[in-house]
Each structure stands twice: as C-alpha cells, then as structure tokens.
C-alpha cells in the first residue's frame, strides 16, 4: 500500500499555499471577526475555484469526490493559513446531503461544490453549536433520523476564537429529509467533520511551530539567540514530534475513508447503508482527531511560552492561530470522546 502523496497531490497543496499566501489571511480574519464577511466570501470563492469544496461532493452533483486524501491536503493548508468560515462543516454537509439524496441534495450540493453555498450544521452527539452560522447560506440540523433546515442562525455564544463564532440554530424548520438514510449519512458526516478538523488542527500547529522557530532565531538573551538554548530546542523538538506523529494518522484515516467510499453504492445518495461508515474508519478518524488536536494545542502552548507576553497582543498575527488551536482540538470530538471511540473501535 502506498502511503506517500502523489506528485499531483503535493502540487495541489503547493498551489493552495501560494493562493492563500497572496490572500493576506490575517486581514481577512480581522474583517471576519468584525462581522465583515465580504473578504472571507471572496477567498471562499477562490478556494472553490481551486476545487476544495468539490472534494466532498459526488460527480453526479457537480463535484469530484469524495476524495478524502485530497481533502486532507487542502484542509492542512487551510489550517496553516487560518482560513475563516465553516470549512469542516461545509465539507461534512456535502457528505451528509449526498448520503441523504433527494431534492435537498440536488438543491444544495452543486452550490457547495462551486463555492456559491457556504453551509454550517449541527449533528446529534456533537454539541448544539453551528460555527459561523451567521455567515452561512444554510444551517442544517440532524436529530435522530430527521434532517432540517434551520429557520435562522440563532443567538451567538461565547467563543475563544473571535473569527470562529458559535451559534445555537433557531429551533423548528420543516424536515427536508427523514428516515434511516439520514441517520446513516449523519454518522458519515460526523466522521468527515472530525477528519477535516483534524487536518485543520495539524495545519494550525505547523504554522505555530514555523512562526516560533523564526522568532527564537531573532530574539536574543545574554547576547545570543534564545533558539540556541538547549531547553528551547527540546521544547521545539517535542512539538515537531507531536505534529509528525499526527500526520501519518491523518493520512491513514484518509486511506480508510477512501477505501470506504470506493465500495459499490457508497456516496451515491441512494439511501443505502453504504453511507453509514465502518467502525474501522470511525476509529481511524478518532485517532487522527485526538492526535492532531493535541499536537496543535501543544504547538500553541509552546508558541505562547517562547514568544512571551508579545504572543497575547492583538497586533501580532500569531494571536489568531493561538486562539484557534484549542477550539479545533475540542470541535467535532473532544479528546476524551475520541479516545473512547478508538478503544471501542
């Protein structure tokens, strides 16, 4: 079995890195946190043109997916650049609606693939909050075997990350689909959201480590760079090891998900049990999520300690990544929940 990325997959990651580097994402983040979604939606459109959101949408609905490995490559880059918006939720909604099928899939999936539709969602068992629901074109909720379109984003709740606002969707809304296919598709969507969040957390940790290494090379103490101190080297090495151990788990989970969706009938929206997700894939996703989430959060703690008080300042772009690491660790499966799922799987 091949575990290395292909040349095309690596080039896809490099092209996204170049696109996002030119986009000045810190400025986009500041506007998003202030309630101005225009720059973020413009960036979302460019990412869609690059094929990011089509990766979770079947070809029958205008997408190219499901392609979990490519989705992992994309989300790592989006995490490295702290792209705002419900990225994991939109990708998960693509899986949810494709597994559900029917008119709701035909209405929303082409827009998700093209970037015209930004979607947030809540799933039973993952908490009541929909990230960035105020910016989304639709907020889907699943309870039991009913899929509903929320009538509004609801009231905002406190969030550690000001560029990742949380909303409890307004109750009600007529069911747009119901039955066993919805329940099965919701389980697959939950795995997708956890998987994408793991990749975002890994990318966030990578950027925190990169910025910290650059900083300790410049900051001096006793006439020498603090990066030359053995204790600092050890802390950075531990952070790097945590991220590097998470990477194969993330791509291992991608291989599991890719094997699952390649089975006959998977992802067709036929309402068959193929959308449900196997215990093996779920456990692999949970392992990736807890490892990448913890590694990203550890990178944030290292970055804050080695930057000192300057790490807290709003003027330093690093603050956006610092405040994102812990929410990514806990979203779509807390560490304890993921460990329990790994043990059960």
């Amino acid at each position: 079995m091949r575990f290395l990325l292909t040349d095309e997959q690596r080039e896809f990651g490099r092209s996204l890195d170049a696109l996002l580097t030119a986009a000045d994402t810190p400025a986009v983040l500041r506007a998003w946190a202030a309630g101005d979604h225009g720059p973020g939606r413009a960036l979302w459109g460019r990412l869609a043109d690059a094929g990011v959101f089509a990766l979770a949408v079947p070809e029958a609905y205008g997408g190219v997916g499901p392609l979990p490995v490519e989705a992992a490559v994309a989300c790592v880059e989006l995490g490295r650049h702290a792209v705002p918006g419900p990225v994991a939720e939109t990708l998960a909604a693509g899986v949810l609606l494709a597994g559900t099928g029917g008119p709701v899939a035909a209405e929303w999936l082409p827009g998700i693939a093209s970037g015209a539709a930004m979607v947030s969602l809540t799933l039973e068992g993952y908490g009541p909050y929909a990230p960035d629901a105020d910016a989304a074109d639709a907020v889907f909720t699943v309870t039991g075997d009913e899929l509903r379109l929320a009538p509004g984003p609801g009231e905002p709740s406190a969030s550690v990350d000001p560029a990742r606002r949380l909303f409890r969707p307004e109750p009600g809304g007529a069911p747009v689909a119901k039955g066993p296919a919805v329940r099965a598709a919701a389980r697959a969507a939950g795995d997708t959201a956890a998987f994408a969040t793991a990749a975002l957390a890994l990318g966030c940790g990578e950027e925190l480590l990169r910025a910290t290494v650059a900083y300790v090379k410049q900051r001096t103490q006793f006439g020498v760079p603090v990066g030359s101190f053995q204790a600092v080297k050890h802390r950075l090495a531990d952070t790097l090891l945590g991220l590097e151990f998470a990477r194969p788990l993330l791509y291992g989970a991608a291989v599991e998900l890719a094997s699952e969706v390649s089975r006959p009938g998977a992802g067709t929206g036929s309402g068959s049990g193929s959308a449900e997700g196997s215990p093996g894939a779920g456990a692999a996703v949970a392992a990736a999520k807890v490892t990448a989430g913890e590694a990203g959060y550890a990178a944030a703690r290292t970055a804050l300690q080695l930057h000192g008080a300057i790490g807290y300042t709003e003027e330093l772009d690093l603050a956006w990544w610092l405040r994102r690491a812990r929410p990514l660790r806990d979203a779509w499966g807390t560490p304890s929940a993921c460990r329990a799922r790994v043990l059960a799987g």
Side-chain angles (χ1 to χ4, degrees), residues 4 20 30 33 57 65 108 136 143 152 166 201 219 240 264-266:
L4 295 176
L20 293 168
R30 286 184 169 88
V57 176
W108 287 99
T143 304
L166 301 177
R219 180 184 172 191
L240 176 62

Side-chain angles (χ1 to χ4, degrees), residues 35-306:
D36 178 7
H37 300 133
R41 290 300 297 249
L43 177 57
W44 191 275
R46 293 198 292 276
L47 291 170
D49 291 341
V52 170
F53 303 108
L55 296 172
V57 176
E59 292 183 16
Y61 296 100
V64 297
L67 294 175
V69 177
E70 286 76 6
V73 172
C75 287
V76 168
E77 292 302 324
L78 270 60
R80 284 185 59 237
H81 291 273
V83 172
V87 172
E89 292 73 24
T90 297
L91 293 173
V95 172
L96 172 67
L97 299 178
T100 301
V104 66
E107 179 181 357
W108 287 99
L109 284 177
I112 289 175
S114 68
M118 179 184 289
V119 178
S120 192
L121 81 164
T122 65
L123 299 176
E124 195 171 33
Y126 287 98
Y129 298 113
D132 300 306
D134 61 330
D137 300 296
V139 180
F140 291 100
T141 65
V142 176
T143 304
D145 61 359
E146 287 191 343
L147 171 64
R148 296 174 182 267
L149 180 60
E155 292 297 319
S157 298
S159 175
V160 173
D161 182 356
R164 189 177 184 275
R165 301 178 68 195
L166 301 177
F167 293 79
R168 187 187 293 267
E170 291 181 7
V176 292
K178 61 172 60 178
V182 171
R183 189 183 296 270
R187 283 192 283 268
D191 284 346
T192 299
F195 172 72
T197 303
L200 293 169
L202 178 61
C204 179
E206 288 181 349
E207 176 57 21
L208 285 163
L209 178 61
R210 184 208 63 77
T212 305
V213 169
Y215 181 72
V216 298
K217 288 179 179 179
Q218 300 173 12
R219 180 184 172 191
T220 60
Q221 202 170 70
F222 308 116
V224 296
V226 297
S228 65
F229 299 159
Q230 199 71 9
V232 172
K233 291 180 180 179
H234 285 171
R235 186 67 184 268
L236 293 171
D238 288 343
T239 302
L240 176 62
L241 283 173
L243 295 169
E244 290 303 316
F245 271 111
R247 193 183 314 280
L249 289 175
L250 176 68
Y251 286 108
V255 170
E256 289 280 356
L257 291 172
S259 298
E260 180 179 294
V261 299
S262 66
R263 291 185 290 116
T268 62
S270 61
S272 69
S274 61
E276 182 172 348
S278 69
V285 169
K289 176 62 172 60
V290 67
T291 308
E294 295 280 30
Y297 183 52
R301 292 171 64 88
T302 296
L304 184 58
Q305 181 181 23
L306 297 184

